[in-house]
Amino acid sequence: MKYVITLTLLFFSLHIFAQKPCDYSTNVTDSLGTYKSTKEYIINEKNFAGNSSYIFYSLALTDGLPTLSVQLIQKSKDFLKANCFDKNSKLFLQLNNGKIITLVHIDQENCGTMLRDDKGFDNRVNTGIFMFMKDSFEELKSSPVSMMRIKYLTDTEDYILKKEFKSELTNEIYNPETYFIDNLKCIE
């Protein structure tokens, strides 16, 4: 009887601690090569005084090259400042273990797109694609991220990554600190 109980407890503990399966928005292999991309994941969300901003991550693997896509969405009735990405833009990730990981933007200038919705809000959508530096994967897989700094063409902004938050946009729970620990396996 003890053997059955022990076996049952072992089975349930393995199920609880099992890794989550990868959730891809795109997974294609054709004559041109392979491309897979994870679904977008909210990393940061701010809602204050009628202004909203959201930052989404998604990981992609294009013919063996891993990249991080960062999408910034701003919504306001006031003026929205354009933060542009260029070849000198960088994304810095400060890990809980004190190390800093640098990701370099691809050589493509992008200032985003401005859209006006039917409620009179201006919406700016900007996407930057960043490449991982050699040997940064192991650090990102082993330590949570506490802060993110984005260096734009003319400005730099810092974002504190929370351990967990409930999104007002989707009403779901997100864990930005452990995004890389949970998802880098999807593009290896």
Side-chain angles (χ1 to χ4, degrees), residues 16-120:
I16 290 170
F17 294 110
Q19 291 184 353
K20 298 176 192 172
C22 295
D23 199 6
Y24 295 106
S25 62
T26 308
N27 192 356
V28 177
T29 300
D30 61 15
S31 62
L32 299 174
T34 61
Y35 178 79
K36 62 170 109 176
S37 176
T38 61
K39 288 191 175 182
E40 293 181 336
Y41 190 89
I42 299 176
I43 294 299
N44 189 282
E45 177 179 88
K46 292 181 195 171
N47 294 300
F48 183 74
N51 298 320
S52 302
S53 68
Y54 307 95
I55 299 176
F56 294 85
Y57 278 178
S58 68
L59 293 165
L61 187 66
T62 309
D63 294 329
L65 177 67
T67 57
L68 174 69
S69 177
V70 179
Q71 184 176 60
L72 299 107
I73 300 174
Q74 298 171 293
K75 183 176 184 173
S76 178
K77 287 194 176 185
D78 298 329
F79 174 77
L80 289 172
K81 178 177 79 169
N83 283 325
C84 301
F85 292 114
D86 73 338
K87 65 181 179 180
N88 297 316
S89 294
K90 290 183 174 57
L91 184 117
F92 302 98
L93 300 169
Q94 182 170 351
L95 306 181
N96 283 356
N97 66 10
K99 295 190 178 174
I100 295 176
I101 303 295
T102 304
L103 284 76
V104 180
H105 191 263
I106 61 172
D107 192 5
Q108 178 182 350
E109 192 168 310
N110 182 5
C111 293
T113 305
M114 180 73 84
L115 306 165
R116 183 174 287 268
D117 65 19
D118 56 353
K119 296 178 183 172

Side-chain angles (χ1 to χ4, degrees), residues 9 16 28 38 78 125 129-130 148 153 173:
L9 288 174
I16 290 170
V28 177
T38 61
D78 298 329
V125 180
I129 299 172
F130 293 87
M148 172 180 66
L153 175 65
I173 303 289

